[in-house]
Amino acid sequence: MLERIHLAVIQAVDQHGSLTAAARRLHLTQSALSHTIRKLEHNLGTAIWLREGRSLRLTQTGEYLLSIANRVLPQLEHAESKLKQMVQGERGTLRIGMECHPCYQWLLKVVSPFLEHWPDVDVDVKQKFQFGGVGALLGYEIDLLVTPDPFYKTGLRFDPVFDYEQVLVVPDHHPLAARSYLNAEDLRNQVLLTYPVPPDRLDIYMQFLNPAGVVPKRHKTIETTDIMLQMVASGRGVAALPRWLAEEYSTRLPLKAVRLGRKGIAKQIYLGSRESDGDIEYLNAFIQLARSHEHPAAGTHR
Amino acid sequence: MLERIHLAVIQAVDQHGSLTAAARRLHLTQSALSHTIRKLEHNLGTAIWLREGRSLRLTQTGEYLLSIANRVLPQLEHAESKLKQMVQGERGTLRIGMECHPCYQWLLKVVSPFLEHWPDVDVDVKQKFQFGGVGALLGYEIDLLVTPDPFYKTGLRFDPVFDYEQVLVVPDHHPLAARSYLNAEDLRNQVLLTYPVPPDRLDIYMQFLNPAGVVPKRHKTIETTDIMLQMVASGRGVAALPRWLAEEYSTRLPLKAVRLGRKGIAKQIYLGSRESDGDIEYLNAFIQLARSHEHPAAGTHR
DNA sequence: ATAATCCATTAACATTATTCATGTGAAGAT
DNA sequence: ATCTTCACATGAATAATGTTAATGGATTAT
């Protein structure tokens, strides 16, 4: 009933002094405005202006409508300009899901230049998903998934962002620290520290221990990388982590990284996204940035 | 470009779950909504919903539009309900102009019950007018004029609200206090206190002194009634005021009211208004209230 | 499977909005 | 005074928008 055009006319007449001038401003004819306002006045049951000769004077109702116009129209105009930015992919929220605990550190390094280049794009990182990372992607809970497990499916797209080697992190003076590589048997008497995820999602089990039928002495789960490595340094156990992560921490803690198996465990991290989001500029930019920004230490493996 | 209907559709779809339900809610057909939204999406250059089978899921753009809808639509709805009240004369601002200094006290007695009956109508009182009270009325500076001088003219309407007698207020033990009435000559040696208005607007001059060619010893102007009467009580002069006003003060100050001339000076107060405002309920109500609320002391004169 | 529901689309039609051409009255200039 | 200009009103023609009705495709419920 009270439409945008009504408010626009009232505001324009106030600003430009006449219906005719307002019509020019709004790219409509004076006739159209006259008809429109006449109908509004009829619907309201009251005049908006008093016609005094050739000029218009606002009634109390008109004054009130003008105040509404001056309050509401800027909101709509602002919304429109924001929408334009969003459509051009310059503004939005990038919701990133993480299925790779240690990757958080790497992610921070990508996010920070991204935020600089895209000041109007917010980044949100989630770590828990009811139906797994891929489910979250398909269910539009997240827009981007950082995962070591690509799950090729129609509608999804996975871009490898970097390779790395999964290694065993042990204390500096640990008996295994000097070895050039380890066998599964070597872990039989070790306490293994991992993130709290099911063993079938842990590569050290799937690719190393299980094939040899070996079970470690104990298995403890720890949420955060920092604490986990503190524990390793103090001799409470050993952990399987990306080599680059181990090397980063080894400058601060007395740690050593040892290869798992003769050839090592090779891993890749992928960024999963929906194909339907292929036209979102900032999303593509993020993937681009991520690929060009592989971890410095990653190269040492190739 | 971004119209109310667009926001309404987005909000209704969010609230009722489907385009079809939203169409019912908005008293439009599903077809119309489908077309409307299609056009909006085309104009924006982006989808608002992702069509997933038979249900709609908001895109980021859509989420944003929904937030706008939830913010802007209530503003428009509120404005509409206020407008309805204004049109029914239940809400507004009554701007009262005063051309009768002592009437302020009387006005307060009318305004106070009025404000109680019309909680949504504000009252504003003005006392200065560039082109006089009638000019202010015609120029829409005020909506109601309290004046002793009706100025019948097309478009204006004057309602008498009460009669009163203009008397001379003197100190209790003043030589003139005992007289049953005064002649102009009696003022030749008095100091006359009046409000600061031109003598040709003062009845004591126009109707009493001037015809007799008498000029008082001195003429001082004072803004406020309270101070004026304090001065009279302390013997600094005499003042011409409505009888009811003098009587009201005489309970607190040692004052006496004496008739001017043998028949006294009869006065009337009018409420002036624009005929074009004849359909404003609260304005009529005010005039009605004013007429039924003449000052208690006024009756003594008739 | 079957039916029901929902969105998209099409086409004929109805309604509403806008334009175009013209009229009227007020203000200002000659 | 008369003329010109300006601004709003009006009515008919035209364009835009919404309705009705029918249909298809897809999904969900029974």
Side-chain angles (χ1 to χ4, degrees), chain B residues 202-278:
Chain B
L202 291 169
D203 297 299
I204 189 156
Y205 278 96
M206 301 305 284
Q207 296 192 32
F208 192 67
L209 298 174
N210 290 0
V214 172
V215 174
K217 191 170 76 181
R218 277 183 68 198
H219 180 182
K220 287 190 182 176
T221 61
I222 300 196
E223 285 268 353
T224 62
T225 310
D226 274 304
I227 305 299
M228 188 184 294
L229 289 178
Q230 294 278 355
M231 303 249 318
V232 171
S234 70
R236 314 286 182 91
V238 297
L241 289 175
R243 181 180 287 278
W244 54 265
L245 189 66
E247 288 176 354
E248 205 167 281
Y249 274 88
S250 67
T251 63
R252 285 180 282 141
L253 293 171
L255 300 172
K256 198 92 200 299
V258 189
R259 176 163 293 183
L260 290 161
R262 194 142 55 90
K263 296 183 177 170
I265 298 180
K267 295 279 300 171
Q268 272 185 306
I269 290 297
Y270 297 83
L271 278 185
S273 55
R274 287 180 296 271
E275 277 173 2
S276 61
D277 285 350

Coordinates of all heavy atoms in Angstrom, one line a residue, chain B residues 202-278:
Chain B
L202 N -4.0 47.6 22.7 CA -4.4 47.6 24.1 C -5.8 48.2 24.2 O -5.9 49.4 23.9 CB -3.4 48.3 24.9 CG -2.0 47.6 25.1 CD1 -1.0 48.6 25.7 CD2 -2.1 46.3 25.9
D203 N -6.7 47.5 24.8 CA -8.1 48.0 24.9 C -8.2 49.2 25.8 O -9.0 50.1 25.6 CB -9.0 46.9 25.4 CG -9.1 45.8 24.4 OD1 -9.5 46.0 23.2 OD2 -8.7 44.6 24.7
I204 N -7.3 49.2 26.8 CA -7.4 50.4 27.7 C -7.1 51.7 27.0 O -7.7 52.7 27.4 CB -6.5 50.1 29.0 CG1 -6.8 51.2 30.0 CG2 -5.0 50.2 28.6 CD1 -6.5 50.9 31.4
Y205 N -6.3 51.6 26.0 CA -6.0 52.8 25.2 C -7.2 53.0 24.2 O -7.8 54.1 24.2 CB -4.7 52.7 24.5 CG -3.5 53.1 25.3 CD1 -2.7 52.1 25.9 CD2 -3.1 54.4 25.4 CE1 -1.6 52.4 26.7 CE2 -2.0 54.8 26.2 CZ -1.3 53.8 26.8 OH -0.2 54.1 27.6
M206 N -7.4 52.0 23.4 CA -8.3 52.2 22.3 C -9.8 52.5 22.8 O -10.5 53.2 22.1 CB -8.3 50.9 21.4 CG -7.0 50.6 20.9 SD -6.2 51.9 19.9 CE -7.2 51.9 18.4
Q207 N -10.2 51.8 23.9 CA -11.6 52.0 24.3 C -11.8 52.9 25.5 O -12.9 53.2 25.9 CB -12.2 50.6 24.6 CG -12.2 49.6 23.4 CD -13.0 48.4 23.8 OE1 -14.0 48.5 24.5 NE2 -12.6 47.3 23.2
F208 N -10.7 53.3 26.1 CA -10.9 54.0 27.4 C -10.1 55.4 27.4 O -10.7 56.4 27.4 CB -10.4 53.1 28.5 CG -10.8 53.6 29.9 CD1 -12.2 53.7 30.3 CD2 -9.9 54.0 30.8 CE1 -12.5 54.2 31.5 CE2 -10.2 54.5 32.1 CZ -11.5 54.6 32.4
L209 N -8.8 55.3 27.3 CA -8.0 56.5 27.4 C -8.0 57.4 26.1 O -8.3 58.6 26.2 CB -6.5 56.1 27.7 CG -6.3 55.4 29.0 CD1 -4.8 54.9 29.1 CD2 -6.6 56.3 30.2
N210 N -7.8 56.8 25.0 CA -7.8 57.6 23.7 C -9.0 58.4 23.5 O -8.9 59.6 23.2 CB -7.5 56.7 22.5 CG -6.0 56.2 22.6 OD1 -5.3 56.5 23.5 ND2 -5.6 55.4 21.6
P211 N -10.2 57.7 23.6 CA -11.4 58.5 23.4 C -11.5 59.7 24.3 O -12.0 60.8 23.8 CB -12.5 57.5 23.7 CG -11.9 56.2 23.5 CD -10.5 56.3 23.9
A212 N -10.9 59.7 25.5 CA -11.0 60.8 26.4 C -9.8 61.7 26.2 O -9.6 62.7 26.9 CB -11.1 60.3 27.8
G213 N -8.8 61.3 25.4 CA -7.6 62.1 25.2 C -6.7 62.1 26.4 O -6.0 63.1 26.6
V214 N -6.8 61.1 27.2 CA -6.0 61.0 28.4 C -4.7 60.2 28.2 O -4.8 59.1 27.5 CB -6.8 60.4 29.6 CG1 -5.9 60.2 30.8 CG2 -8.0 61.4 29.9
V215 N -3.6 60.6 28.8 CA -2.4 59.8 28.8 C -1.9 59.6 30.2 O -1.9 60.5 31.0 CB -1.3 60.5 28.0 CG1 0.1 59.8 28.1 CG2 -1.7 60.7 26.5
P216 N -1.6 58.3 30.6 CA -1.2 58.1 32.0 C 0.2 58.8 32.2 O 0.9 59.1 31.3 CB -1.1 56.6 32.1 CG -0.9 56.1 30.7 CD -1.6 57.1 29.8
K217 N 0.5 58.9 33.5 CA 1.7 59.5 33.9 C 2.9 58.8 33.3 O 3.8 59.4 32.7 CB 1.9 59.5 35.5 CG 3.0 60.4 36.0 CD 2.9 60.6 37.5 CE 3.4 59.3 38.2 NZ 3.4 59.4 39.7
R218 N 2.9 57.5 33.4 CA 4.0 56.7 32.8 C 3.4 55.4 32.3 O 2.3 54.9 32.7 CB 5.1 56.4 33.8 CG 6.1 57.5 33.9 CD 7.2 57.2 34.8 NE 8.1 56.1 34.3 CZ 8.9 55.4 35.0 NH1 8.9 55.6 36.3 NH2 9.7 54.4 34.5
H219 N 4.1 54.8 31.4 CA 3.7 53.5 30.8 C 4.9 52.5 30.8 O 5.9 52.8 30.1 CB 3.1 53.7 29.4 CG 2.7 52.4 28.7 ND1 2.2 52.4 27.4 CD2 2.6 51.2 29.2 CE1 1.8 51.2 27.1 NE2 2.1 50.4 28.2
K220 N 4.8 51.5 31.6 CA 5.9 50.5 31.6 C 5.4 49.2 31.0 O 4.2 48.8 31.3 CB 6.3 50.3 33.0 CG 7.1 51.4 33.7 CD 7.7 50.9 35.0 CE 8.5 52.0 35.7 NZ 9.0 51.6 37.0
T221 N 6.2 48.5 30.4 CA 5.8 47.1 29.8 C 6.5 46.0 30.6 O 7.7 46.2 31.0 CB 6.1 47.0 28.3 OG1 7.5 47.1 28.2 CG2 5.5 48.1 27.5
I222 N 5.8 45.0 30.8 CA 6.3 43.8 31.6 C 5.8 42.5 30.9 O 4.7 42.5 30.4 CB 5.7 43.9 33.0 CG1 6.2 45.2 33.7 CG2 6.1 42.6 33.8 CD1 6.0 45.2 35.2
E223 N 6.7 41.6 30.8 CA 6.4 40.3 30.1 C 5.4 39.5 30.8 O 4.4 39.0 30.2 CB 7.7 39.5 29.8 CG 8.6 40.1 28.8 CD 8.3 39.5 27.4 OE1 7.5 38.6 27.3 OE2 8.9 40.0 26.4
T224 N 5.6 39.2 32.0 CA 4.8 38.2 32.7 C 3.8 38.7 33.7 O 4.0 39.7 34.3 CB 5.8 37.2 33.5 OG1 6.4 38.0 34.5 CG2 6.8 36.6 32.6
T225 N 2.7 38.0 33.7 CA 1.6 38.4 34.5 C 1.9 38.4 36.0 O 1.6 39.3 36.8 CB 0.4 37.4 34.3 OG1 0.2 37.3 32.9 CG2 -0.9 37.9 35.0
D226 N 2.7 37.4 36.4 CA 3.1 37.3 37.8 C 3.8 38.5 38.3 O 3.4 39.1 39.3 CB 4.0 36.0 38.0 CG 3.2 34.8 38.2 OD1 2.3 34.8 39.2 OD2 3.3 33.8 37.5
I227 N 4.8 38.9 37.6 CA 5.6 40.0 38.0 C 4.8 41.3 38.0 O 4.9 42.2 38.8 CB 6.9 40.2 37.1 CG1 7.7 38.9 37.1 CG2 7.8 41.3 37.5 CD1 8.2 38.5 38.4
M228 N 4.0 41.4 36.9 CA 3.2 42.6 36.7 C 2.3 42.8 38.0 O 2.3 44.0 38.5 CB 2.3 42.5 35.5 CG 1.5 43.8 35.1 SD 0.4 43.5 33.8 CE 1.6 43.2 32.4
L229 N 1.7 41.8 38.4 CA 0.8 41.9 39.6 C 1.6 42.1 40.9 O 1.1 42.8 41.8 CB -0.1 40.7 39.6 CG -1.2 40.8 38.5 CD1 -2.1 39.6 38.5 CD2 -2.0 42.1 38.5
Q230 N 2.8 41.5 41.0 CA 3.6 41.8 42.1 C 3.9 43.3 42.2 O 3.9 43.9 43.3 CB 5.0 41.0 42.0 CG 4.9 39.5 42.0 CD 4.8 39.0 43.4 OE1 4.9 39.7 44.4 NE2 4.6 37.6 43.5
M231 N 4.2 43.9 41.1 CA 4.5 45.3 41.0 C 3.3 46.1 41.4 O 3.4 47.1 42.1 CB 4.9 45.7 39.6 CG 6.1 44.9 39.1 SD 7.7 45.8 38.9 CE 7.2 47.3 38.2
V232 N 2.1 45.7 40.9 CA 0.9 46.4 41.3 C 0.7 46.4 42.8 O 0.4 47.4 43.4 CB -0.3 45.8 40.5 CG1 -1.6 46.4 41.1 CG2 -0.2 46.1 39.0
A233 N 0.8 45.1 43.3 CA 0.6 44.9 44.8 C 1.6 45.8 45.6 O 1.2 46.3 46.7 CB 0.8 43.5 45.1
S234 N 2.8 46.1 45.1 CA 3.7 46.9 45.8 C 3.6 48.4 45.5 O 4.5 49.1 45.8 CB 5.2 46.4 45.6 OG 5.5 46.7 44.2
G235 N 2.5 48.7 44.8 CA 2.2 50.1 44.6 C 3.0 50.8 43.5 O 3.0 52.0 43.4
R236 N 3.6 50.0 42.6 CA 4.4 50.6 41.5 C 3.6 51.0 40.4 O 4.1 51.6 39.4 CB 5.5 49.6 41.0 CG 6.3 48.9 42.0 CD 7.3 49.8 42.7 NE 8.1 49.0 43.7 CZ 9.2 48.4 43.4 NH1 9.7 48.4 42.2 NH2 9.8 47.8 44.4
G237 N 2.3 50.6 40.3 CA 1.5 51.0 39.2 C 0.2 50.3 39.2 O -0.2 49.6 40.1
V238 N -0.6 50.5 38.1 CA -1.9 49.8 37.9 C -1.9 49.1 36.6 O -1.1 49.5 35.7 CB -3.0 50.8 38.0 CG1 -3.1 51.5 39.4 CG2 -2.9 51.8 36.9
A239 N -2.7 48.0 36.5 CA -2.7 47.2 35.2 C -4.1 46.9 34.8 O -5.0 46.8 35.6 CB -1.9 45.9 35.5
A240 N -4.3 46.9 33.5 CA -5.6 46.5 32.9 C -5.6 45.0 32.5 O -4.8 44.6 31.7 CB -5.9 47.4 31.7
L241 N -6.5 44.2 33.2 CA -6.4 42.8 32.9 C -7.9 42.3 33.0 O -8.8 42.9 33.5 CB -5.6 42.1 34.0 CG -4.1 42.3 34.0 CD1 -3.4 41.7 35.2 CD2 -3.5 41.7 32.7
P242 N -8.1 41.0 32.6 CA -9.4 40.4 32.7 C -9.8 40.3 34.2 O -8.9 40.1 35.0 CB -9.2 39.0 32.1 CG -8.1 39.1 31.2 CD -7.1 40.2 31.8
R243 N -11.1 40.5 34.4 CA -11.5 40.4 35.8 C -11.2 39.1 36.4 O -10.7 39.0 37.6 CB -13.0 40.7 35.9 CG -13.6 40.7 37.3 CD -15.0 40.9 37.3 NE -15.4 42.3 37.1 CZ -15.4 43.3 37.9 NH1 -15.0 43.1 39.2 NH2 -15.7 44.5 37.6
W244 N -11.5 38.0 35.7 CA -11.2 36.7 36.3 C -9.8 36.4 36.7 O -9.5 35.8 37.7 CB -11.7 35.5 35.4 CG -11.1 35.6 34.0 CD1 -11.7 36.1 32.9 CD2 -9.9 35.0 33.6 NE1 -10.9 36.0 31.8 CE2 -9.7 35.3 32.2 CE3 -8.9 34.3 34.2 CZ2 -8.6 34.9 31.4 CZ3 -7.8 33.9 33.5 CH2 -7.6 34.2 32.1
L245 N -8.9 37.1 35.9 CA -7.5 36.9 36.2 C -7.2 37.7 37.5 O -6.5 37.2 38.4 CB -6.7 37.4 35.1 CG -5.1 37.1 35.2 CD1 -4.9 35.7 35.1 CD2 -4.4 37.9 34.1
A246 N -7.7 38.9 37.6 CA -7.5 39.7 38.8 C -8.0 39.0 40.0 O -7.3 38.9 41.1 CB -8.2 41.1 38.6
E247 N -9.2 38.4 39.9 CA -9.8 37.7 41.1 C -9.0 36.5 41.5 O -8.9 36.2 42.6 CB -11.2 37.4 40.8 CG -12.1 38.7 40.7 CD -13.5 38.4 40.3 OE1 -13.8 37.3 40.0 OE2 -14.3 39.4 40.4
E248 N -8.4 35.9 40.5 CA -7.6 34.7 40.8 C -6.4 35.1 41.6 O -6.1 34.5 42.6 CB -7.2 34.0 39.5 CG -6.9 32.5 39.7 CD -6.8 31.9 38.3 OE1 -7.8 31.6 37.7 OE2 -5.6 31.7 37.8
Y249 N -5.8 36.2 41.3 CA -4.6 36.7 42.0 C -4.9 37.3 43.3 O -4.1 37.4 44.2 CB -3.8 37.6 41.1 CG -2.8 36.9 40.2 CD1 -3.2 36.5 38.9 CD2 -1.5 36.6 40.6 CE1 -2.3 35.8 38.1 CE2 -0.6 36.0 39.8 CZ -1.0 35.6 38.5 OH -0.2 34.9 37.7
S250 N -6.1 37.9 43.4 CA -6.4 38.6 44.6 C -6.5 37.7 45.9 O -6.5 38.2 47.0 CB -7.8 39.4 44.4 OG -8.8 38.4 44.3
T251 N -6.6 36.4 45.7 CA -6.5 35.6 46.8 C -5.1 35.5 47.4 O -4.9 35.2 48.6 CB -7.0 34.1 46.5 OG1 -6.1 33.6 45.5 CG2 -8.4 34.2 45.9
R252 N -4.1 35.8 46.6 CA -2.8 35.7 47.0 C -2.1 37.0 47.3 O -1.1 37.1 48.0 CB -2.0 34.9 46.0 CG -2.2 33.4 46.0 CD -1.4 32.7 44.9 NE -2.0 32.8 43.6 CZ -1.3 33.0 42.5 NH1 0.0 33.1 42.6 NH2 -1.9 33.2 41.3
L253 N -2.6 38.0 46.6 CA -2.0 39.3 46.7 C -3.0 40.4 47.1 O -4.2 40.2 46.8 CB -1.4 39.7 45.3 CG -0.2 38.9 44.8 CD1 0.2 39.3 43.4 CD2 1.1 39.2 45.7
P254 N -2.6 41.4 47.7 CA -3.5 42.5 48.2 C -3.9 43.4 47.0 O -3.4 44.5 46.8 CB -2.7 43.3 49.2 CG -1.3 43.1 48.9 CD -1.2 41.7 48.2
L255 N -4.9 42.9 46.2 CA -5.2 43.6 44.9 C -6.7 43.8 44.9 O -7.5 43.1 45.6 CB -4.9 42.7 43.7 CG -3.4 42.4 43.5 CD1 -3.2 41.4 42.4 CD2 -2.6 43.7 43.3
K256 N -7.1 44.8 44.1 CA -8.5 45.1 44.0 C -8.8 45.3 42.5 O -8.0 45.9 41.8 CB -8.9 46.3 44.8 CG -10.3 46.5 45.1 CD -10.8 45.9 46.4 CE -12.3 45.7 46.5 NZ -13.0 46.9 46.3
A257 N -9.9 44.9 42.0 CA -10.3 45.1 40.6 C -11.4 46.2 40.5 O -12.3 46.2 41.2 CB -10.8 43.8 39.9
V258 N -11.1 47.2 39.6 CA -12.1 48.3 39.5 C -12.6 48.4 38.1 O -11.7 48.4 37.2 CB -11.5 49.6 40.0 CG1 -12.6 50.7 40.1 CG2 -10.8 49.5 41.3
R259 N -13.9 48.7 37.9 CA -14.4 48.8 36.6 C -13.9 50.0 35.8 O -13.7 51.0 36.4 CB -16.0 48.8 36.7 CG -16.7 49.0 35.3 CD -18.1 48.7 35.4 NE -18.3 47.2 35.7 CZ -19.5 46.7 35.7 NH1 -20.6 47.4 35.6 NH2 -19.6 45.4 35.9
L260 N -13.7 49.8 34.5 CA -13.2 50.9 33.7 C -14.4 51.5 33.0 O -15.0 50.9 32.1 CB -12.2 50.4 32.7 CG -10.9 50.0 33.3 CD1 -10.1 49.1 32.3 CD2 -10.0 51.2 33.6
G261 N -14.8 52.7 33.3 CA -16.0 53.3 32.7 C -17.2 52.8 33.5 O -17.2 51.8 34.2
R262 N -18.3 53.5 33.2 CA -19.5 53.2 33.9 C -20.0 51.8 33.6 O -20.5 51.0 34.4 CB -20.6 54.2 33.6 CG -21.8 54.2 34.6 CD -22.2 55.6 34.9 NE -22.6 56.3 33.7 CZ -23.8 56.3 33.1 NH1 -24.8 55.7 33.7 NH2 -24.0 57.0 32.0
K263 N -19.9 51.4 32.3 CA -20.4 50.1 31.8 C -19.4 49.0 31.8 O -19.6 47.9 31.5 CB -21.1 50.3 30.4 CG -22.3 51.2 30.4 CD -22.9 51.3 29.1 CE -24.2 52.1 29.1 NZ -24.7 52.4 27.7
G264 N -18.1 49.5 32.0 CA -17.0 48.5 32.0 C -16.6 48.2 30.5 O -17.3 48.6 29.6
I265 N -15.5 47.6 30.3 CA -15.0 47.2 29.0 C -15.3 45.7 28.8 O -14.7 44.9 29.5 CB -13.5 47.5 28.8 CG1 -13.2 49.0 29.0 CG2 -13.0 46.9 27.5 CD1 -11.7 49.3 28.8
A266 N -16.2 45.4 27.9 CA -16.5 44.0 27.6 C -15.6 43.5 26.6 O -15.4 44.1 25.6 CB -18.0 43.9 27.2
K267 N -15.2 42.3 26.8 CA -14.2 41.6 25.9 C -14.7 40.2 25.6 O -15.4 39.6 26.4 CB -12.8 41.6 26.4 CG -12.2 43.0 26.7 CD -11.6 43.5 25.4 CE -10.6 42.6 24.8 NZ -10.2 43.0 23.5
Q268 N -14.2 39.7 24.5 CA -14.5 38.3 24.1 C -13.2 37.7 23.6 O -12.4 38.4 22.9 CB -15.5 38.2 23.1 CG -16.9 38.1 23.6 CD -17.9 37.9 22.5 OE1 -17.9 38.6 21.5 NE2 -18.7 36.8 22.6
I269 N -13.0 36.4 23.9 CA -11.8 35.7 23.4 C -12.4 34.7 22.4 O -13.4 34.1 22.6 CB -11.1 34.9 24.5 CG1 -10.3 36.0 25.4 CG2 -10.1 34.0 23.9 CD1 -9.3 36.8 24.7
Y270 N -11.6 34.7 21.2 CA -12.0 33.8 20.1 C -10.9 32.8 19.9 O -9.8 33.0 20.1 CB -12.3 34.6 18.9 CG -13.4 35.6 19.0 CD1 -13.2 36.8 19.6 CD2 -14.7 35.3 18.5 CE1 -14.2 37.7 19.7 CE2 -15.7 36.2 18.6 CZ -15.5 37.4 19.2 OH -16.5 38.3 19.3
L271 N -11.4 31.6 19.3 CA -10.4 30.7 18.8 C -10.5 30.7 17.3 O -11.6 30.5 16.7 CB -10.8 29.2 19.3 CG -10.3 28.9 20.7 CD1 -10.6 27.4 20.9 CD2 -8.8 29.1 20.8
G272 N -9.5 31.1 16.6 CA -9.5 31.1 15.2 C -8.9 29.8 14.6 O -7.9 29.3 15.2
S273 N -9.5 29.4 13.5 CA -8.9 28.2 12.9 C -9.2 28.3 11.4 O -10.0 29.1 10.9 CB -9.6 26.9 13.5 OG -11.0 27.0 13.4
R274 N -8.5 27.4 10.6 CA -8.8 27.4 9.2 C -10.0 26.5 8.9 O -10.1 25.4 9.5 CB -7.5 26.8 8.5 CG -6.3 27.7 8.4 CD -5.2 27.0 7.7 NE -4.8 25.8 8.4 CZ -3.8 25.8 9.4 NH1 -3.2 27.0 9.7 NH2 -3.5 24.8 10.0
E275 N -10.8 26.9 8.0 CA -12.0 26.1 7.6 C -11.6 24.8 7.0 O -12.2 23.8 7.2 CB -12.9 26.9 6.6 CG -13.8 27.9 7.3 CD -14.5 28.7 6.3 OE1 -14.4 28.6 5.1 OE2 -15.3 29.6 6.8
S276 N -10.4 24.8 6.3 CA -10.0 23.6 5.7 C -9.6 22.5 6.7 O -9.4 21.3 6.3 CB -8.8 23.9 4.8 OG -7.7 24.4 5.5
D277 N -9.4 22.9 7.9 CA -9.1 21.9 9.0 C -10.3 21.4 9.7 O -10.2 20.7 10.7 CB -8.1 22.5 10.0 CG -6.7 22.7 9.5 OD1 -6.4 22.1 8.4 OD2 -5.9 23.3 10.1
G278 N -11.5 21.7 9.1 CA -12.7 21.3 9.7 C -12.9 19.9 10.0 O -13.7 19.5 10.8

